[in-house]
C-alpha cells in the first residue's frame, strides 16, 4: 500500500498532492510557450499531450504516495505552480522539478519550495539519489537547485559518467533535445551515510577537517575558534568510543566530490526508561557551503535515521546568542528549558544553554 500523501509547508507556501481538479493549472503551465524560454521544443504542443503528462503524474502519486504537487499560497490558498520529486523512469533516482505561473516569477518561491522538498525527500523518500537537470543557460533554475543543496556536476554529454548518478539521468536529460543545442546540465544532492562503528581513517580525517573548520568559523560545536586540532581529535575519539559501544550513531552527508560536508551524532541513554529518546549533538556543516540547505538536509537525515531506530523523542541543546534556535524551531523543535549562563566561552562571555525537543512519531510534544 502506498504511504499517505504528505503536505510540505514553508513560511509562505504549501505543497499538496496533485489531483484531477488541477487539470487547468497543469495544462496552462505545460502548454504556454512563455514558460519554456530556454527549451521551446519541450512545451506540450496541445492540451492532450499535457493531459497525458498529468495522468502519468497522478499515477505516480497513486503508486508511490509522493510526486509532483501543487504549490499554494498558505495565506490565500491560491495555486501558484507545481513542484515535487518523482522516480526516474528506471526507478534508480528521484528527479526534482518546479514550474511556477508567470505572474509569480521573481518572488523567490522556487528556492523556498525546492529547499523544503529536497529535505522532505531525504527524510521520508525512498533513499535514492536526488538529481535535477536544467538548460545550461537557465541560471535561475540552476541557482534554485544549488540553493536546495544540489551540486552542479556538468553537462550531460554523450558517454558522460557522473559518480553517484545513474547513467540514465544524463541519457534521458538530453534524449528529447535537438541535436544542435548544448547538452543540459546535471545536479546532484548530497548522499547520506550512517556510521555505527568508528570511522575508517580517510573518513575520520575528513570529519576532523570539518569539525575544525566549523570551530574556526565560530560554530557552536564544543570549542572556540582556534582550538587545537589535537583537542578536537581527542573529542572525536571519545565519540568514536561511544559509537563502538553502541551509545552513539553518526549521520553524515557527502557532497558530489565525496567530501564530508555535514555531520551530527545521535546519542542515547543507557537508562531503559529513556530508550525512546535521543539527543542530537555536534551538528555541523561546511562553512564554505553556507546557504546551500545543508543544515536542513542533515537534520532531515537525522530524523530519518532516528525513526528507523525507533526514536520517538528528539532533543538537542543550542548556545544562546547564535540565533540557531530559530533554525531548529523551523524544523518543529520547541524550547523546553533554558539555563542562563550555562555555557562559558570566557570569563566575560557567558551564554544561555537552550534545550529544545520535538517528537518524531507524529504525536504532539505537549
Amino acid at each position: 500500500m502506498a504511504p499517505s500523501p504528505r503536505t510540505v509547508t514553508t513560511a509562505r507556501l504549501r505543497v499538496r498532492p496533485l489531483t484531477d481538479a488541477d487539470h487547468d493549472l497543469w495544462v496552462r503551465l505545460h502548454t504556454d510557450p512563455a514558460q519554456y524560454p530556454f527549451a521551446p521544443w519541450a512545451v506540450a504542443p496541445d492540451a492532450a499531450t499535457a493531459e497525458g503528462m498529468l495522468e502519468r503524474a497522478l499515477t505516480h502519486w497513486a503508486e508511490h504516495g509522493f510526486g509532483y504537487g501543487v504549490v499554494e499560497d498558505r495565506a490565500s490558498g491560491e495555486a501558484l505552480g507545481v513542484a515535487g520529486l518523482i522516480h526516474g523512469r528506471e526507478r534508480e533516482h528521484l528527479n526534482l522539478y518546479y514550474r511556477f505561473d508567470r505572474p509569480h516569477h521573481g518572488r523567490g518561491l522556487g528556492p523556498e519550495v525546492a529547499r523544503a522538498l529536497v529535505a522532505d525527500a531525504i527524510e521520508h523518500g525512498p533513499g535514492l539519489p536526488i538529481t535535477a537537470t536544467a538548460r545550461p543557460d537557465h541560471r535561475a533554475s540552476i541557482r534554485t537547485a544549488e540553493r536546495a543543496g544540489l551540486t552542479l556536476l556538468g553537462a550531460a554529454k554523450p558517454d558522460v559518467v557522473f559518480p553517484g548518478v545513474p547513467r540514465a539521468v544524463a541519457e534521458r536529460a538530453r534524449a528529447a533535445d535537438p541535436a544542435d543545442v548544448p547538452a543540459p546540465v546535471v545536479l546532484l544532492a548530497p548522499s547520506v551515510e550512517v556510521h555505527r562503528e568508528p570511522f575508517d581513517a580517510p573518513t575520520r580525517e575528513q570529519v576532523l577537517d570539518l569539525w575544525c573548520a566549523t570551530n574556526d568559523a565560530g560554530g557552536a560545536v564544543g570549542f572556540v575558534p582556534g582550538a587545537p586540532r589535537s583537542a578536537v581529535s581527542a573529542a572525536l575519539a571519545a565519540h568514536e568510543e561511544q559509537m563502538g559501544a553502541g551509545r552513539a550513531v553518526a549521520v553524515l552527508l557527502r557532497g558530489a566530490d565525496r567530501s564530508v560536508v555535514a555531520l551530527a551524532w545521535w546519542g542515547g541513554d543507557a537508562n531503559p526508561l529513556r530508550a525512546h529518546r535521543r539527543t542530537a549533538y555536534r551538528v555541523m556543516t561546511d562553512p564554505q557551503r553556507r546557504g546551500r540547505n545543508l543544515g536542513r538536509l542533515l537534520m532531515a537525515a537525522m530524523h530519518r535515521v532516528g525513526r528507523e531506530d525507533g526514536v520517538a523523542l528528539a532533543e538537542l541543546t543550542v548556545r544562546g546568542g547564535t540565533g540557531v534556535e530559530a533554525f531548529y524551531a523551523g524544523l518543529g523543535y520547541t524550547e523546553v528549558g533554558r539555563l542562563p549562563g550555562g555555557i562559558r566561552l570566557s570569563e566575560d562571555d557567558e551564554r544561555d544553554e537552550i534545550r529544545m525537543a520535538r517528537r518524531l512519531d507524529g504525536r504532539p510534544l505537549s
Side-chain angles (χ1 to χ4, degrees), residues 3-4 33 39 42 45 54 89 94 108 118 141 214 224 231 240 259 265 281 313 341 364:
S4 300
L54 173 60
R89 190 172 301 179
L94 299 178
V118 175
S141 182
T214 304
V224 296
E240 290 183 296
S259 63
W265 276 273
Y281 57 99
L313 184 60

Side-chain angles (χ1 to χ4, degrees), residues 56-341:
R56 291 192 292 275
L58 291 171
T59 298
H60 191 283
W61 268 109
E63 292 181 352
H64 303 292
F66 69 95
Y68 296 156
V70 174
V71 184
E72 296 178 333
D73 184 286
R74 288 182 62 181
S76 68
E78 179 185 5
L80 310 177
V82 296
L85 294 97
I86 65 166
H87 282 288
R89 190 172 301 179
E90 289 76 17
R91 309 285 173 86
E92 295 177 333
H93 72 288
L94 299 178
N95 179 70
L96 173 66
Y97 176 78
Y98 32 83
R99 189 172 300 279
F100 287 86
D101 227 346
R102 283 185 289 143
H104 305 294
H105 290 188
R107 296 176 53 195
L109 303 181
E112 182 175 331
V113 76
R115 289 164 70 91
L117 287 171
V118 175
D120 181 74
I122 287 178
E123 183 166 349
H124 299 289
L128 296 171
I130 297 172
T131 66
T133 59
R135 300 307 310 163
D137 49 349
H138 198 343
R139 288 304 308 168
S141 182
I142 294 171
R143 285 195 300 270
T144 292
E146 289 177 330
R147 290 176 64 183
L150 281 67
T151 296
L152 179 62
L153 301 181
K157 297 179 180 179
D159 299 322
V160 69
V161 177
F162 295 121
V165 178
R167 182 182 290 271
V169 173
E171 293 174 349
R172 295 203 178 278
R174 61 175 183 271
D177 290 353
D180 59 346
V181 301
V185 296
V186 176
L187 301 98
L188 177 67
S191 59
V192 178
E193 284 186 4
V194 182
H195 290 257
R196 301 182 186 276
E197 299 291 338
F199 301 114
D200 58 57
T203 300
R204 189 182 199 278
E205 283 303 300
Q206 290 192 35
V207 168
L208 193 54
D209 289 342
L210 174 63
W211 196 340
C212 290
T214 304
N215 289 336
D216 292 343
V221 287
F223 295 90
V224 296
R229 188 178 180 89
S230 59
V232 180
S233 181
L236 176 54
H239 291 330
E240 290 183 296
E241 182 179 349
Q242 293 173 327
M243 293 162 68
R247 299 194 305 273
V249 177
V251 180
L252 61 84
L253 301 182
R254 285 196 186 272
D257 61 358
R258 302 302 299 155
S259 63
V260 177
V261 298
L263 170 74
W265 276 273
W266 278 128
D269 192 313
N271 188 330
L273 300 179
R274 300 190 181 98
H276 65 302
R277 296 163 55 181
R278 294 291 186 278
T279 299
Y281 57 99
R282 311 296 196 202
V283 179
M284 61 186 84
T285 63
D286 184 352
Q288 299 301 314
R289 308 189 198 207
R290 296 282 164 82
R292 300 289 295 272
N293 208 31
L294 292 180
R296 189 169 187 171
L297 301 187
L298 173 62
M299 291 308 298
M302 289 281 285
H303 294 159
R304 182 189 190 110
V305 172
R307 288 192 187 91
E308 290 172 350
D309 287 354
V311 177
L313 184 60
E315 305 170 72
L316 52 84
T317 59
V318 300
R319 182 186 300 175
T322 64
V324 74
E325 62 267 31
F327 165 75
Y328 289 111
L331 301 180
Y333 285 81
T334 300
E335 181 177 329
V336 295
R338 181 182 290 252
L339 178 61

